[in-house]
Amino acid sequence: MEVNPLNIFFVKSDSKGDRLLFRYPYTTENKDESKQKKYGRHNPYAVYSTEDLLQNPQSQTSNICKGQLSGFTDEMLSTLFAVKPELCNRKFELKVNDVRFVGHPTLLPYRTNKDDTAAMILINIVFALQASASHSIVKCYYDLSKRLGKALRHEEKRCSYLTEEMKIMLAAHDEVSSLDSELNGDNDDEDDNMRLSVSSATYSAENNDCGPKSAFHLILQRSSLARSMKAVFEELCSTGIVQVRINKWVLLSFCLPHKAHQIHNRGLIIEPETIDKCLQKLRPYHGILLMVNPNDLLASIPLDGSSALLRLIKLYSPLKSLQTLAIEADLTFKQVSQLTGHLVYWAKATVIYPLCEGNVYVVAPGANVHVHSPLVDEFAKEFPGLCLVQMLSEFSLPAPLLWFAARGGCGCGDSGRLARCVAWLLRRRLLLQLHTYVQFNSPHWGRDPDGREYFCEKHDIYNQSCNISFSSLNHMHLNVPEPVEPRDNTVFPDSDEDYPTENNLNQTDFSHTKPIVIESDHMKFDKFHESDSANHSFDDGVDVVDGVVKTNGIDNYDDKAQSEKKTHGNSVDSGISNNINGANTEVNGNDNNIEHSNGDVVDKKGLPSRLSDLSLKDTENALIRDISSDDDKFESDQDVSPRLRRTNGLISGMEKRNGVSLNLKLQSEMSFQPPTVWALGGVGGCDAVDACRAPDPPPTESALDTFTPDERAALMHLPAANDHDDLLLLAQLHKKGYFRGEQHLEEIMFMENVSRSQLLQLLDKFKDVLITFETEDPAVAMLYPYQ
Amino acid sequence: MDGNMKFYEGCGQEGPIRCIFLCEFHPTAGPKITCQVPENYISKDIFDTVSHYIIPKVQLQRCTLTVTLLGSKILGFPVRIDNKKYARNAYYFNLCFVCDAWARTVHLEPLVKKLTEYLLSMELETEWLSKQSTSGDAKALGGLMKQVMEDINSRRMCTLTVGKTTTHLTVVRVNSDPAAVKDHQVPVFLYSRQSFVADQWDLTTNQILPYIDGFNHVSKIAALTDVEISLVRACVQNLVYYGVVTLVPIFQYCAVYSATPKLRQLTRCAGLQRQCVEFCARSPRQLPKVSDLFRMYAGMTYGSTVRDLCRRMKPQELAINERKLVLFGLLEGLIRRVYKYPITLHNDEHSQPLVKTYNGMVCLDELCCQGGLTTSQLEEQLERDSNVVFIVK
């Protein structure tokens, strides 16, 4: 496999010259082959082609023999890898025939024997790869080499580790070569032959059977650094995840995602760039599905790992959306999505749409299932009595899981088992979820000016510009872009309601929704991200030595301090989070904060002040309720069945204005954009206020502004257009761009707080102008094997 | 180098040759550049730092070497000629191409090798190189390198003539080997037939070319042309390698397709819409509407066959050619085929020798093609066998 390294080399170069100190693997059984070759050459019957006008021997085209490197001597490699000082501390890449060497030559000061004059030494840890390995694989290996170099530099500075280890290695080399010269005293000619014949074996390979081992073998026994390198190589080959403690001090964590994902899914190659793109498309309604047991994962995280990650994993459930997780773990969505990025990168999780009964699954096109596939047995072991093939054949026709469960789901007794079963299938990428997208059938197709001439460029939707890559591990930022539309900055607190109602698999998981507004102030979270996501390791690898990983706890503390300092602080969410934390003493101050910030927000938005007047009271009420009943809030939320709440909220919009729903009110306050509860209708904030004030629906004409005259004409002919409410909802959704085939029904439900049945009814009523199509969510499908 | 957003390392794109130089091992001065086009692209300093990859030790002679350093990529094929007539009894030289670090250069490797061998033979015959380097007048060599660089960058091919010898250089795209061609697959031209130069291809390919129309599958082409089917397969595979044709699944009214996320491109990309309208029209005089085309694609989903769709939408009334519609969708990736794979359960117990078992690797299309059955016949046959289930994917 081209993902695996062929070899690892350790070369030094100092005033005493360059030397290949260690390589792994070092034993090659080409002794016989070289002998055969030798005899073959002397075959008297062989025809020598004198026609060959090129006097040099035929050129070698491959340096890989049976999966191992061949054709390079150690001396040659050491001269190649001992680069000139000008090339130090930058990427070294050399391709010879079909082998690519990549490394990061590191120049570091080290102490020579007694005198303290620090001389410079160059070390280069080089990986040999197959030349066909993709660029992103090469980049990962380069990064690993760089980190190893850094770790060694650190350890050399701390306790002269490198000096000691090099002494051991050099001593072993000298020992073996002196033994060699003794042994080979009588057969010099043969030794010369060996040196001439190009072989990858060490020069002492010949003596393998008679007494002394090769120098590398000795080194491996004596040197801990050599053992670390061996461990690095072997972990790369087996799992792709390297966890090595250099000198029992510096923990080096590294993940080669191309390999790591193959542990769970053979043949699935996920490049860091793909994960980047997936993260860019991550939305609050997405969820995560762990590939491993959460307890195992918790156990594998080092002690100094990020506490945010620990909390996230403790609260994990495939039924929860990222937003729910964020709220429960007291993190921002941005943090959660970055943690998701980590988990996906390390092949610990994948991105899904949270499991619920409304989900529609089909067999993934890349699913490699046949009678003899090992998955069949694995499945039978995991779910006794069920047959994988039969299970998959049940997914031949797309149907919501609900129906599946109703039919008894081919032996899946209870719905819990069905959920586990689906999760298993999703982990193996055997199932793919279909979503319904809606396109408004405008009479003017392609009138959008964008994309007209960039036809070819825009074709590949998986190929968004992705320049800074996820794999640039040592650079400080993780590439999560700012959400494009303002809508995304705000998470609608009560939009979670959609999940529990659909989801009877595990109701308690969705039963409470803490109102919180994520992202009002980007700056302070940037601090957090910098330290947290410097590397894609749970604990920051080498750099952790110097810097402490900032935990969210600290960050919260900062927030508090900040909000206390500033009386006019505009950090809405800090106030809220404090409230939730039950900081009763700060109630007044926070209320002030919120008042001010609300004023700010409203002013910024340029809304009439009556909105703030109206809403502020509600906020205060809500907040006070929130604070006072911090603990029993959850219970009260649970008491009200989500279904009931939904019907309250959605079917009778009038009641909504009078009977204050806690979450709703908070939302209308906190979100930096107009409330979008359907019955309050309205296209903008002012309309919303109007709707609140006057029971009459806002003028339909203004809502219809969003349609072109032609579209209006088309709508006019529809009987459904006579219903004001329906038309308003349509106009509202259309205005927000939900009918451009970009957002699936679940996203509309999530963002706009409408129910599925309501949307389906709307789609049905306006089916002449709305075209639906079913396809997969590109963000999720990205992590599936290419077809 | 990385300033341009489009060209980052690993973008996988080919770039122009920036420079060609010839360097050799001077008996006294060591490695040095004899001739360089354009002048001073590789400065003396840079050359010194990388020289030991360009004039390497003995074992690396005659290997294609690519070294990526300091923002450029240097490709070479070092050569040594052993002969008593040279100082130090050997003449080392290496002709190197320089590209940007982001560029893909695999396709240039055979070129470097061939050019080097051309120079080598000239050197062996007439000492063409060593004469120029000792005299210090490398005009002929410089002219040759300039020609190579210009021609390869602009036309991707080059014909060199020095004295009486001629050599041809062409850049050949390096692709991975295409998958084996199956009998039920349909080859489709990726660009217009007119631009296809028929005399570049072999006789068998020429024989099957007229039958590649986007609807005939491989075994039908074989039958129509009376060419042995394995030859047809090989020809089609060859055409796939060179990107002339691509393979799509066979069109059948009982086939099921599913929309892909790319379908939404059709709603906004005017270029795609225009192409689609023109391609899918029944006649050029009456063009279908984009919204109808989109509706057709949107109707393609699991569980609904093309037949169902046609009954519902009546494409002939909408001036849509449904076969072309499906073909266009497949070529542009707007839709994908959903295959049916029969698979036999419990095949271990009381395996009757007469009943055929299915392992789930072969789709219905292929089975039909092998057995010469229609899909409905085969499906009927399989429905009767209670041990067989279908996986649709």
Side-chain angles (χ1 to χ4, degrees):
Chain A
M1 241 187 315
E2 61 185 25
V3 181
N4 291 353
L6 293 167
N7 223 319
I8 180 171
F9 302 95
F10 177 51
V11 171
K12 66 104 192 178
S13 165
D14 58 4
S15 52
K16 290 172 196 144
D18 53 72
R19 188 86 192 241
L20 181 86
L21 289 174
F22 185 67
R23 63 182 283 179
Y24 189 85
Y26 50 86
T27 44
T28 44
E29 293 81 38
N30 63 349
K31 195 183 145 202
D32 303 330
E33 284 170 35
S34 65
K35 280 244 169 75
Q36 273 172 8
K37 229 184 250 169
K38 220 185 276 176
Y39 297 136
R41 230 177 269 149
H42 294 299
N43 183 355
Y45 303 107
V47 179
Y48 291 93
S49 59
T50 45
E51 281 299 292
D52 191 1
L53 73 163
L54 309 173
Q55 58 177 14
N56 292 21
Q58 258 315 309
S59 60
Q60 208 176 0
T61 51
S62 174
N63 286 99
I64 300 171
C65 171
K66 292 180 188 163
Q68 286 194 313
L69 208 60
S70 72
F72 299 110
T73 61
D74 296 343
E75 293 82 0
M76 191 174 98
L77 291 174
S78 89
T79 46
L80 284 180
F81 299 155
V83 298
K84 296 261 168 64
E86 293 91 331
L87 301 174
C88 277
N89 297 330
R90 59 177 79 217
K91 190 171 173 181
F92 166 81
E93 193 180 333
L94 173 70
K95 179 170 164 281
V96 180
N97 290 330
D98 56 351
V99 179
R100 194 185 296 274
F101 299 100
V102 62
H104 180 85
T106 311
L107 204 57
L108 53 96
Y110 88 120
R111 244 160 280 146
T112 46
N113 295 329
K114 293 289 178 286
D115 47 344
D116 270 355
T117 52
M120 295 302 268
I121 183 170
L122 175 125
I123 57 162
N124 196 358
I125 295 162
V126 181
F127 291 95
L129 309 172
Q130 293 185 23
S132 53
S134 77
H135 189 272
S136 86
I137 295 176
V138 175
K139 219 160 149 189
C140 285
Y141 277 102
Y142 163 68
D143 185 63
L144 178 57
S145 166
K146 192 168 163 183
R147 289 203 210 181
L148 280 167
K150 272 191 182 170
L152 286 179
R153 184 161 63 191
H154 180 271
E155 282 307 283
E156 172 66 20
K157 200 173 160 193
R158 194 176 67 90
C159 57
S160 308
Y161 175 62
L162 186 67
T163 317
E164 296 303 315
E165 292 297 311
M166 285 202 319
K167 250 183 225 163
I168 296 172
M169 292 180 184
L170 284 171
H173 277 296
D174 290 347
E175 199 175 304
V176 169
S177 59
S178 65
L179 272 176
D180 259 6
S181 54
E182 278 173 31
L183 276 169
N184 294 343
D186 47 346
N187 49 358
D188 270 341
D189 47 342
E190 199 176 331
D191 190 43
D192 284 348
N193 277 343
M194 264 319 283
R195 279 176 194 277
L196 281 178
S197 73
V198 179
S199 82
S200 75
T202 66
Y203 46 83
S204 57
E206 187 122 325
N207 301 323
N208 250 346
D209 41 2
C210 49
K213 302 277 186 184
S214 85
F216 296 126
H217 189 78
L218 279 181
I219 290 171
L220 200 57
Q221 285 173 342
R222 295 175 189 170
S223 156
S224 70
L225 178 59
R227 282 196 295 276
S228 299
M229 287 188 197
K230 180 181 176 220
V232 167
F233 181 85
E234 284 178 343
E235 285 177 2
L236 280 172
C237 287
S238 60
T239 61
I241 290 177
V242 176
Q243 303 255 354
V244 171
R245 224 171 247 286
I246 306 277
N247 195 20
K248 296 181 188 152
W249 188 264
V250 180
L251 178 65
L252 185 97
S253 296
F254 172 84
C255 172
L256 183 69
H258 311 80
K259 176 83 186 174
H261 283 268
Q262 295 192 357
I263 303 167
H264 307 290
N265 293 284
R266 218 162 298 147
L268 172 69
I269 291 190
I270 290 185
E271 303 206 326
E273 290 77 15
T274 319
I275 300 172
D276 267 350
K277 286 177 209 162
C278 175
L279 274 196
Q280 289 183 14
K281 298 193 176 218
L282 212 60
R283 291 291 145 93
Y285 55 78
H286 282 124
I288 49 177
L289 176 67
L290 287 188
M291 307 296 285
V292 292
N293 185 337
N295 294 323
D296 295 349
L297 182 55
L298 280 177
S300 72
I301 296 174
L303 289 175
D304 51 354
S306 152
S307 69
L309 183 68
L310 295 177
R311 259 181 293 155
L312 184 74
I313 296 168
K314 278 179 193 148
L315 292 165
Y316 155 80
S317 156
L319 310 171
K320 290 180 189 173
S321 67
L322 289 181
Q323 192 206 8
T324 314
L325 282 173
I327 291 166
E328 289 179 7
D330 200 13
L331 301 168
T332 63
F333 171 64
K334 208 169 173 187
Q335 287 170 317
V336 169
S337 67
Q338 290 187 340
L339 290 173
T340 306
H342 282 266
L343 289 172
V344 174
Y345 189 93
W346 285 75
K348 304 294 185 200
T350 186
V351 175
I352 56 165
Y353 183 82
L355 293 181
C356 62
E357 292 195 331
N359 287 358
V360 178
Y361 295 98
V362 291
V363 183
N368 190 11
V369 175
H370 47 92
V371 169
H372 304 293
S373 78
L375 289 173
V376 175
D377 291 336
E378 277 176 44
F379 186 80
K381 216 179 279 172
E382 188 81 20
F383 303 97
L386 289 185
C387 170
L388 177 65
V389 174
Q390 213 145 24
M391 189 78 191
L392 287 178
S393 74
E394 298 277 333
F395 284 101
S396 292
L397 287 179
L401 276 187
L402 183 71
W403 297 12
F404 213 86
R407 270 187 303 161
C410 91
C412 277
D414 51 317
S415 59
R417 197 175 187 207
L418 179 65
R420 275 200 303 128
C421 197
V422 170
W424 192 93
L425 295 171
L426 284 173
R427 255 178 231 131
R428 266 73 183 176
R429 311 285 203 277
L430 296 178
L431 288 187
L432 183 67
Q433 189 176 358
L434 288 188
H435 293 275
T436 303
Y437 292 82
V438 189
Q439 169 69 37
F440 190 83
N441 186 6
S442 145
H444 300 285
W445 282 72
R447 91 201 130 120
D448 281 9
D450 62 314
R452 183 160 296 168
E453 297 307 324
Y454 293 104
F455 161 66
C456 288
E457 294 265 333
K458 285 200 72 176
H459 247 177
D460 194 3
I461 69 161
Y462 293 109
N463 193 14
Q464 305 290 345
S465 72
C466 171
N467 207 9
I468 313 153
S469 106
F470 200 84
S471 57
S472 54
L473 295 162
N474 279 341
H475 303 296
M476 281 310 169
H477 54 199
L478 196 147
N479 191 18
V480 176
E482 290 299 304
V484 190
E485 292 163 71
R487 181 177 68 245
D488 303 327
N489 275 332
T490 324
V491 176
F492 293 80
D494 52 349
S495 43
D496 263 5
E497 283 179 3
D498 292 330
Y499 297 109
T501 49
E502 283 173 27
N503 183 333
N504 299 322
L505 300 176
N506 189 354
Q507 290 218 347
T508 50
D509 280 324
F510 288 102
S511 51
H512 58 279
T513 50
K514 276 193 219 171
I516 224 177
V517 174
I518 294 175
E519 292 302 323
S520 68
D521 175 356
H522 295 275
M523 290 306 290
K524 65 175 179 252
F525 289 109
D526 289 346
K527 271 191 298 179
F528 176 82
H529 298 317
E530 261 182 33
S531 54
D532 185 45
S533 60
N535 289 322
H536 288 281
S537 44
F538 291 136
D539 65 323
D540 212 8
V542 178
D543 298 331
V544 83
V545 180
D546 306 318
V548 185
V549 175
K550 237 192 216 171
T551 59
N552 191 44
I554 297 171
D555 200 47
N556 262 345
Y557 181 75
D558 286 353
D559 284 354
K560 256 183 214 171
Q562 218 175 21
S563 66
E564 276 168 2
K565 260 187 245 163
K566 291 193 213 166
T567 42
H568 293 274
N570 55 353
S571 57
V572 178
D573 60 340
S574 69
I576 293 293
S577 64
N578 284 338
N579 282 333
I580 282 165
N581 290 340
N584 281 324
T585 49
E586 291 179 5
V587 166
N588 292 329
N590 277 328
D591 272 350
N592 271 339
N593 261 355
I594 282 172
E595 258 181 43
H596 284 293
S597 55
N598 256 323
D600 285 349
V601 171
V602 171
D603 285 344
K604 267 182 221 156
K605 282 283 206 179
L607 295 181
S609 56
R610 52 189 172 151
L611 172 64
S612 58
D613 287 343
L614 174 83
S615 45
L616 261 179
K617 277 175 211 154
D618 292 332
T619 330
E620 277 162 16
N621 286 341
L623 272 178
I624 287 159
R625 275 180 59 181
D626 200 11
I627 297 154
S628 59
S629 63
D630 195 9
D631 288 331
D632 45 5
K633 180 173 81 76
F634 301 118
E635 288 156 33
S636 65
D637 273 2
Q638 268 170 352
D639 288 343
V640 185
S641 138
R643 198 178 293 277
L644 255 180
R645 263 200 295 164
R646 193 184 63 176
T647 48
N648 271 344
L650 297 172
I651 294 180
S652 54
M654 295 299 184
E655 279 174 33
K656 204 153 222 178
R657 272 181 282 118
N658 308 324
V660 182
S661 146
L662 176 84
N663 289 331
L664 179 79
K665 284 305 165 190
L666 266 179
Q667 181 213 356
S668 62
E669 275 326 300
M670 292 309 146
S671 52
F672 285 177
Q673 78 164 67
T676 47
V677 185
W678 76 281
L680 299 183
V683 220
C686 303
D687 287 342
V689 175
D690 286 339
C692 286
R693 287 280 157 100
D696 300 340
T700 321
E701 286 73 30
S702 69
L704 287 181
D705 281 347
T706 172
F707 299 110
T708 63
D710 290 332
E711 289 167 345
R712 272 189 251 178
L715 279 173
M716 218 169 66
H717 295 299
L718 296 177
N722 295 328
D723 187 337
H724 267 282
D725 288 347
D726 285 341
L727 195 59
L728 261 182
L729 182 58
L730 183 82
Q732 190 186 338
L733 295 179
H734 182 259
K735 185 178 168 91
K736 296 199 169 162
Y738 288 119
F739 295 148
R740 285 193 219 128
E742 293 282 359
Q743 279 107 354
H744 45 71
L745 288 191
E746 285 80 6
E747 180 162 359
I748 303 175
M749 283 154 54
F750 181 89
M751 291 298 183
E752 298 300 309
N753 192 24
V754 289
S755 71
R756 183 186 290 272
S757 61
Q758 201 181 0
L759 265 184
L760 289 179
Q761 275 175 20
L762 187 78
L763 292 182
D764 191 50
K765 282 178 190 160
F766 291 96
K767 63 171 182 283
D768 291 335
V769 287
L770 296 179
I771 307 173
T772 60
F773 61 99
E774 288 173 11
T775 188
E776 60 263 25
D777 181 354
V780 174
M782 234 174 251
L783 300 177
Y784 277 74
Y786 294 109
Q787 299 153 29
Chain B
M1 291 293 164
D2 298 327
N4 198 331
M5 291 281 278
K6 209 172 148 194
F7 301 121
Y8 54 96
E9 235 179 302
C11 62
Q13 298 191 52
E14 294 175 5
I17 302 169
R18 296 289 181 192
C19 165
I20 298 180
F21 67 87
L22 183 103
C23 66
E24 57 184 298
F25 192 82
H26 193 269
T28 51
K32 73 180 235 311
I33 296 181
T34 315
C35 179
Q36 177 170 195
V37 178
E39 287 292 329
N40 289 326
Y41 187 86
I42 297 288
S43 68
K44 184 87 175 64
D45 294 344
I46 294 178
F47 180 73
D48 285 345
T49 56
V50 299
S51 64
H52 77 276
Y53 303 105
I54 294 172
I55 302 287
K57 297 231 165 135
V58 187
Q59 292 100 332
L60 284 182
Q61 299 296 336
R62 307 188 61 76
C63 289
T64 41
L65 281 176
T66 307
V67 62
T68 312
L69 292 167
L70 304 170
S72 35
K73 221 173 196 182
I74 302 174
L75 278 86
F77 188 76
V79 169
R80 181 185 63 163
I81 303 169
D82 290 316
N83 199 319
K84 290 274 185 320
K85 70 187 173 193
Y86 299 114
R88 293 206 186 190
N89 295 334
Y91 180 63
Y92 295 85
F93 74 90
N94 190 358
L95 181 99
C96 295
F97 284 16
V98 184
C99 294
D100 292 323
W102 51 262
R104 194 167 172 253
T105 54
V106 196
H107 58 286
L108 292 176
E109 281 174 11
L111 214 75
V112 174
K113 195 172 161 186
K114 187 169 180 187
L115 189 55
T116 308
E117 266 162 11
Y118 181 58
L119 295 180
L120 178 64
S121 63
M122 287 202 293
E123 172 65 25
L124 290 174
E125 283 165 17
T126 65
E127 298 176 13
W128 197 72
L129 282 181
S130 52
K131 264 186 200 158
Q132 290 191 52
S133 84
T134 43
S135 69
D137 173 34
K139 272 206 195 91
L141 181 62
L144 180 121
M145 294 194 312
K146 195 159 183 243
Q147 190 197 343
V148 170
M149 193 166 105
E150 282 169 1
D151 287 1
I152 296 290
N153 280 345
S154 58
R155 294 189 292 122
R156 297 172 69 86
M157 53 173 76
C158 174
T159 305
L160 295 174
T161 310
V162 176
K164 283 178 214 159
T165 60
T166 302
T167 194
H168 302 274
L169 301 173
T170 320
V171 180
V172 178
R173 215 163 23 144
V174 183
N175 283 346
S176 52
D177 286 350
V181 177
K182 303 263 181 69
D183 291 352
H184 65 282
Q185 287 174 316
V186 177
V188 193
F189 273 100
L190 281 175
Y191 51 88
S192 89
R193 182 85 62 85
Q194 281 74 38
S195 58
F196 187 81
V197 188
D199 46 341
Q200 278 182 355
W201 301 85
D202 59 282
L203 291 175
T204 318
T205 307
N206 275 319
Q207 202 172 343
I208 66 167
L209 274 182
Y211 296 92
I212 297 181
D213 61 355
F215 302 108
N216 291 334
H217 56 281
V218 170
S219 54
K220 191 171 178 188
I221 292 173
L224 289 171
T225 54
D226 201 17
V227 173
E228 222 276 310
I229 189 154
S230 60
L231 289 179
V232 178
R233 274 187 230 137
C235 287
V236 171
Q237 194 177 13
N238 188 40
L239 290 171
V240 171
Y241 180 86
Y242 287 103
V244 180
V245 302
T246 189
L247 295 171
V248 295
I250 190 168
F251 177 86
Q252 282 175 301
Y253 280 97
C254 62
V256 177
Y257 296 88
S258 168
T260 69
K262 272 190 188 176
L263 179 57
R264 61 185 72 133
Q265 288 293 318
L266 188 62
T267 64
R268 64 193 64 111
C269 184
L272 183 65
Q273 288 172 4
R274 221 173 296 136
Q275 279 191 5
C276 185
V277 165
E278 280 162 22
F279 191 89
C280 303
R282 287 205 158 228
S283 83
R285 270 163 300 170
Q286 194 194 358
L287 294 178
K289 283 198 288 192
V290 185
S291 57
D292 293 330
L293 292 166
F294 184 81
R295 234 180 238 279
M296 288 283 284
Y297 284 130
M300 291 179 185
T301 182
Y302 284 77
S304 99
T305 61
V306 179
R307 189 190 298 118
D308 299 340
L309 194 68
C310 290
R311 279 198 191 126
R312 202 168 70 230
M313 308 279 299
K314 305 208 170 41
Q316 60 277 17
E317 291 172 15
L318 302 171
I320 297 171
N321 183 339
E322 64 273 8
R323 283 162 71 112
K324 287 188 161 182
L325 178 88
V326 167
L327 184 58
F328 186 83
L330 288 169
L331 288 178
E332 292 293 334
L334 308 179
I335 54 171
R336 64 179 162 79
R337 175 75 195 271
V338 177
Y339 293 97
K340 244 179 159 179
Y341 290 83
I343 183 162
T344 313
L345 299 169
H346 324 294
N347 53 347
D348 41 358
E349 49 189 80
H350 61 80
S351 55
Q352 296 150 317
L354 292 176
V355 178
K356 199 180 172 208
T357 59
Y358 302 94
N359 61 6
M361 312 263 272
V362 189
C363 66
L364 271 189
D365 285 1
E366 199 173 344
L367 287 170
C368 290
C369 211
Q370 281 169 4
L373 295 164
T374 66
T375 312
S376 57
Q377 279 173 329
L378 185 64
E379 266 184 334
E380 209 173 288
Q381 190 184 322
L382 292 174
E383 293 290 341
R384 265 183 275 138
D385 191 345
S386 60
N387 272 334
V388 174
V389 294
F390 291 103
I391 288 182
V392 175
K393 60 184 180 186

